């Protein structure tokens, strides 16, 4: 009965030679790595260029891949893949990662730019609106009689309670409460009328 040939035995002589270079690289042979590098780095760069579409990025990816090949050559299993396809798989993954990373960075930059351009406008709009409302509030407060205005200012701007306002003005708490309620009603009417 004829024996089945392994996947490695089906490879061309050139592919088997590359397998040998990679296997020797895994054992620490710099000479084998140099031969592997010279044989594959151009093709790796070409593959990366097709994915990243930028020559300088493709060059960087190729250098990173060949460095990774040197560091991880021991993971290569000639029974599972040829050296060429193993290196090309590393290159493809690295190139795709580079594209995703660049896209994510671009998206982050775009979001940051949009955020930066919108935020100041929103803050200015809110500030203008707040200032306009403050001016209207001050005008309406100024239009109140002193007996209504002073308790409201003490309560809302100084944070005093009814009792504290009454003590500060030496008035009965019930009187202060009534004046504040009347003052709030007139203040609301004034603000609704546009100040």
């Amino acid at each position: 009965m004829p024996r089945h040939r392994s996947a490695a035995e089906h490879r061309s002589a050139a592919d088997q030679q590359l397998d040998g270079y990679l296997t020797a690289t895994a054992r620490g042979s710099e000479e084998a790595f140099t031969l592997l590098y010279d044989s594959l780095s151009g093709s790796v760069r070409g593959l990366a260029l097709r994915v990243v579409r930028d020559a300088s990025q493709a060059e960087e990816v190729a250098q990173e891949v060949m460095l990774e090949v040197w560091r991880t050559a021991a993971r290569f299993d000639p029974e599972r893949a040829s050296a060429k396809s193993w290196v090309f798989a590393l290159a493809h993954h690295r190139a795709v990662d580079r594209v995703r990373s660049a896209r994510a960075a671009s998206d982050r930059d775009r979001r940051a730019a949009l955020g930066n351009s919108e935020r100041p406008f929103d803050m200015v709009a809110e500030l203008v609106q707040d200032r306009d409302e403050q001016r209207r509030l001050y005008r309406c407060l100024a239009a109140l009689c002193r007996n209504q205005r002073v308790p409201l200012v003490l309560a809302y701007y100084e944070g005093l309670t009814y009792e504290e306002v009454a003590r500060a003005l030496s008035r009965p708490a019930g009187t202060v409460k009534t004046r504040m309620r009347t003052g709030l009603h007139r203040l609301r009417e004034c603000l609704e009328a546009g100040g």
Side-chain angles (χ1 to χ4, degrees):
M1 182 170 248
R3 115 184 141 77
H4 290 292
R5 288 173 21 167
S6 71
E9 292 174 311
H10 282 288
R11 294 184 193 130
S12 70
D15 283 344
Q16 287 180 19
Q17 189 175 37
L18 291 174
D19 291 354
Y21 293 158
L22 188 50
T23 302
T25 298
R27 292 192 299 266
S29 169
E30 290 181 26
E31 183 183 346
F33 177 69
T34 300
L35 292 168
L36 184 69
Y37 185 95
D38 291 345
S39 301
L40 292 180
S41 62
S43 299
V44 166
R45 191 170 32 260
L47 186 153
L49 183 58
R50 285 193 298 277
V51 176
V52 300
R53 298 172 189 243
D54 177 83
S56 62
Q57 293 278 328
E59 182 64 38
E60 285 180 27
V61 168
Q63 293 302 319
E64 290 169 8
V65 168
M66 296 313 291
L67 184 61
E68 187 176 354
V69 167
W70 170 253
R71 285 195 320 256
T72 65
R75 294 183 192 161
F76 169 65
D77 179 359
E79 293 301 317
R80 296 183 65 198
S82 69
K84 190 176 189 177
S85 60
W86 188 78
V87 172
F88 283 3
L90 290 177
H92 184 262
H93 289 298
R94 181 64 63 112
V96 168
D97 285 348
R98 177 66 66 104
V99 169
R100 285 181 182 147
S101 176
R103 192 172 295 145
S106 173
D107 290 347
R108 274 194 308 276
D109 290 347
R110 191 168 28 261
R111 281 194 304 272
L114 285 173
N116 288 340
S117 68
E118 290 172 4
R119 197 170 299 125
F121 174 78
D122 290 346
M123 288 171 62
V124 168
E126 286 174 18
L127 191 59
V128 167
Q129 186 177 358
D130 288 348
R131 284 187 181 158
D132 187 44
E133 287 175 7
Q134 276 184 331
R135 279 193 289 273
R136 286 179 26 223
L137 178 61
Y138 291 149
R139 277 195 303 270
C140 289
L141 270 172
L144 295 176
C145 69
R146 186 178 187 286
N147 285 341
Q148 294 166 351
R149 182 176 61 247
V150 172
L152 288 176
V153 169
L154 289 173
Y156 290 99
Y157 289 98
E158 300 297 323
L160 301 181
T161 64
Y162 286 124
E163 289 79 16
E164 291 169 331
V165 170
R167 277 196 302 275
L169 297 175
S170 302
R171 297 281 181 262
T175 303
V176 168
K177 215 179 238 188
T178 302
R179 288 177 179 171
M180 287 178 70
R181 202 173 8 244
T182 305
L184 280 172
H185 179 71
R186 290 193 175 153
L187 194 59
R188 189 176 301 115
E189 285 178 344
C190 178
L191 288 170
E192 287 172 0

